[in-house]
Amino acid sequence: MKYKTIFLLSFLFIFSKIANSQDLVSKIRFNNEFSWSQIEKKNQEEIKSEFLTQIKDFDRLVNENMYTPKELLKALHVVDFDGDSFLDIIYEGLSGSEPTMVVIYLNSKKGFKEVFKDFNEIMKIESSNGKISGIYIDEPACCGDPISTLKYYQINYKNTVTTFEKVIESRYFSEYNSSLPKKQFDKPIKFRIDNENYSLRYAPEIKDTSASSWDDIKGNVIGVIRKNEIGYALGKATDSTGRIWWFSAFAPNTKFSSRFNSESGDNNYWKLGWISSKYVTEVE
């Protein structure tokens, strides 16, 4: 009986991890689905002026001629973020350095308070019960780094405290004419790699000999995946030969050598890239 219990608990643990991976990968979005018209309150210049009077963080952008006062107002978006009827501010614009940034300020009887900051721009926003429940962030390659980052934050409300939990982060190699699928699958396709040392590429084509300024990249190969590893196809493309490619996501614990691996040891993110769909098997 003891061994049956241990086996059952082990099975439930493994199943929960698999189910969690399937839920997580659905939160990887690379197509922009966001418009400010979905959430923004119009004609709220008075609130914006009140905000700028209280929050002095943006004075430097105007003083250094990165924005005119009128341009700065356009970068401030008035929303009811947490459904409490106090109008909040989301800033999406210049950071003062190379990347742009998103900063969220919640409003209360005590005034505005910064609760979130990240780079670069909003890709999608989810709402539930009159509150924003999730934010997708797109952080394109910047500042000499060829790797772009996608993030999903879940917003949690408990009493009067609002927290932002980064649920999943994924990265893809966006240099050298790499491409994303024109359309994302409605539901990811789970698959198993059938061949040993299967190539993950930054573009949907076979290119093994072209020169690259990155010493550890041969052609467009950015990773080599082990046989029997699991991936999730998010979209597809067809090359000039008729070969079908899948733009795919691989979990942080996937066994393969990769250009993505961080020297700092921070590799807790999903890796994205193109694989040939020829030697893979779809699995449930």
Side-chain angles (χ1 to χ4, degrees):
M1 184 67 181
K2 177 181 178 181
Y3 294 109
K4 288 183 178 180
T5 301
I6 293 174
F7 174 80
L8 178 60
L9 291 174
S10 299
F11 173 79
L12 291 174
F13 175 75
I14 293 170
F15 179 80
S16 67
K17 291 196 69 174
I18 294 171
N20 187 46
S21 293
Q22 292 172 329
D23 291 339
L24 278 177
V25 77
S26 68
K27 295 299 184 183
I28 298 175
R29 308 298 302 178
F30 54 79
N31 52 330
N32 195 317
E33 303 173 21
F34 179 65
S35 168
W36 283 111
S37 63
Q38 298 168 359
I39 62 170
E40 187 171 21
K41 307 292 185 182
K42 297 293 186 180
N43 303 317
Q44 298 292 336
E45 271 61 32
E46 185 176 340
I47 292 291
K48 294 182 182 182
S49 296
E50 177 186 338
F51 168 79
L52 290 173
T53 299
Q54 180 184 336
I55 304 297
K56 299 298 184 180
D57 298 356
F58 301 96
D59 289 354
R60 181 172 68 90
L61 299 179
V62 174
N63 294 337
E64 296 181 3
N65 297 317
M66 297 182 189
Y67 277 129
T68 65
K70 187 176 181 180
E71 290 170 337
L72 177 58
L73 289 176
K74 291 182 179 179
L76 301 175
H77 304 276
V78 179
V79 304
D80 185 1
F81 192 92
D82 51 1
D84 64 355
S85 298
F86 288 98
L87 293 180
D88 312 301
I89 294 287
I90 300 179
Y91 171 79
E92 186 180 61
L94 300 176
S95 66
S97 55
E98 189 168 344
T100 57
M101 67 180 180
V102 175
V103 192
I104 298 173
Y105 298 83
L106 293 188
N107 193 6
S108 69
K109 293 179 180 179
K110 297 180 180 180
F112 292 95
K113 179 183 178 181
E114 180 184 319
V115 294
F116 176 84
K117 179 188 285 185
D118 202 351
F119 303 96
N120 251 278
E121 59 188 18
I122 298 172
M123 180 174 287
K124 182 181 178 180
I125 278 184
E126 295 176 332
S127 297
S128 177
N129 299 320
K131 301 178 181 181
I132 293 178
S133 57
I135 296 180
Y136 297 77
I137 295 288
D138 178 20
E139 186 178 341
C142 173
C143 319
D145 187 345
I147 295 176
S148 293
T149 303
L150 304 171
K151 305 172 187 176
Y152 172 73
Y153 290 90
Q154 178 179 292
I155 295 94
N156 303 305
Y157 300 93
K158 187 174 182 181
N159 299 325
T160 59
V161 178
T162 303
T163 58
F164 293 73
E165 177 189 359
K166 185 168 69 174
V167 174
I168 186 169
E169 178 176 324
S170 55
R171 301 182 185 181
Y172 65 96
F173 200 90
S174 60
E175 287 288 335
Y176 310 119
N177 299 316
S178 64
S179 56
L180 295 171
K182 293 181 179 179
K183 184 178 179 181
Q184 189 157 346
F185 291 151
D186 293 332
K187 181 180 179 181
I189 300 172
K190 185 179 179 182
F191 62 85
R192 182 183 66 248
I193 298 293
D194 292 336
N195 279 9
E196 193 67 71
N197 298 327
Y198 211 52
S199 294
L200 180 74
R201 301 175 185 270
Y202 63 71
E205 60 178 339
I206 294 177
K207 187 177 289 186
D208 293 332
T209 58
S210 63
S212 167
S213 61
W214 297 93
D215 294 337
D216 51 353
I217 292 180
K218 179 183 178 183
N220 61 5
V221 176
I222 52 174
V224 179
I225 312 169
R226 299 292 302 274
K227 183 178 181 179
N228 293 324
E229 289 296 307
I230 296 296
Y232 299 84
L234 307 177
K236 70 176 182 178
T238 304
D239 67 17
S240 59
T241 70
R243 183 188 295 265
I244 297 175
W245 295 85
W246 281 352
F247 186 72
S248 302
F250 295 89
N253 60 353
T254 303
K255 295 179 181 178
F256 69 103
S257 61
S258 170
R259 167 66 182 88
F260 293 99
N261 292 338
S262 170
E263 293 180 0
S264 66
D266 174 23
N267 295 307
N268 191 30
Y269 46 83
W270 290 61
K271 285 78 171 175
L272 309 180
W274 291 93
I275 65 156
S276 168
S277 65
K278 191 173 183 180
Y279 297 108
V280 302
T281 299
E282 291 186 34
V283 296
E284 294 295 328

